[in-house]
C-alpha cells in the first residue's frame, strides 16, 4: 500500500509542477518537490491507525518519522 501511495504522490506532484511551469512560469527545485512529496506521504501515513507492528513497518516508521500512533488502535 505504501508503494501505491508513493507512486500516486510522485505522479500528482510532477503533474502539478508541470502545470505550474506551463501556466505561470513558476519554477521550483527538485528538492522542493521532493520535500512536498515526503511531507504528503508522512501526513497520510500518520492518519492511519492499527498498522501491523512488523519489522518492516517499524523500520519505515523510524526512517520516515511516522507518528507512533499508527501502531495503536483508536
Amino acid at each position: 500500500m505504501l508503494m501505491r501511495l508513493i507512486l500516486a504522490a510522485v505522479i500528482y506532484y510532477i503533474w502539478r509542477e508541470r502545470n505550474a511551469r506551463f501556466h505561470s512560469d513558476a519554477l521550483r527545485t527538485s528538492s522542493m518537490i521532493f520535500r512536498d512529496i515526503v511531507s504528503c506521504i508522512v501526513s497520510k501515513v500518520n492518519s492511519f491507525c492499527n498498522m501491523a507492528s512488523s519489522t518492516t513497518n517499524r523500520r519505515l516508521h523510524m526512517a520516515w518519522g511516522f507518528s507512533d500512533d499508527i501502531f495503536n488502535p483508536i
Side-chain angles (χ1 to χ4, degrees):
M1 183 162 127
L2 186 59
M3 293 306 292
R4 287 183 184 173
L5 180 61
I6 292 169
L7 179 62
V10 167
I11 290 171
Y12 172 75
Y13 280 96
I14 289 174
W15 170 78
R16 188 173 150 186
E17 181 63 20
R18 178 226 167 251
N19 281 347
R21 289 180 183 200
F22 183 73
H23 295 292
S24 66
D25 294 331
L27 300 176
R28 295 180 340 144
T29 65
S30 58
S31 61
M32 293 170 72
I33 298 167
F34 181 75
R35 187 187 67 227
D36 287 347
I37 292 169
V38 170
S39 175
C40 173
I41 292 167
V42 169
S43 295
K44 184 66 174 178
V45 170
N46 282 340
S47 70
F48 297 159
C49 64
N50 205 18
M51 288 186 87
S53 184
S54 68
T55 305
T56 303
N57 287 345
R58 287 289 176 178
R59 268 192 243 137
L60 287 170
H61 166 262
M62 296 302 291
W64 286 67
F66 298 146
S67 169
D68 289 330
D69 297 338
I70 63 173
F71 299 110
N72 300 326
I74 292 177

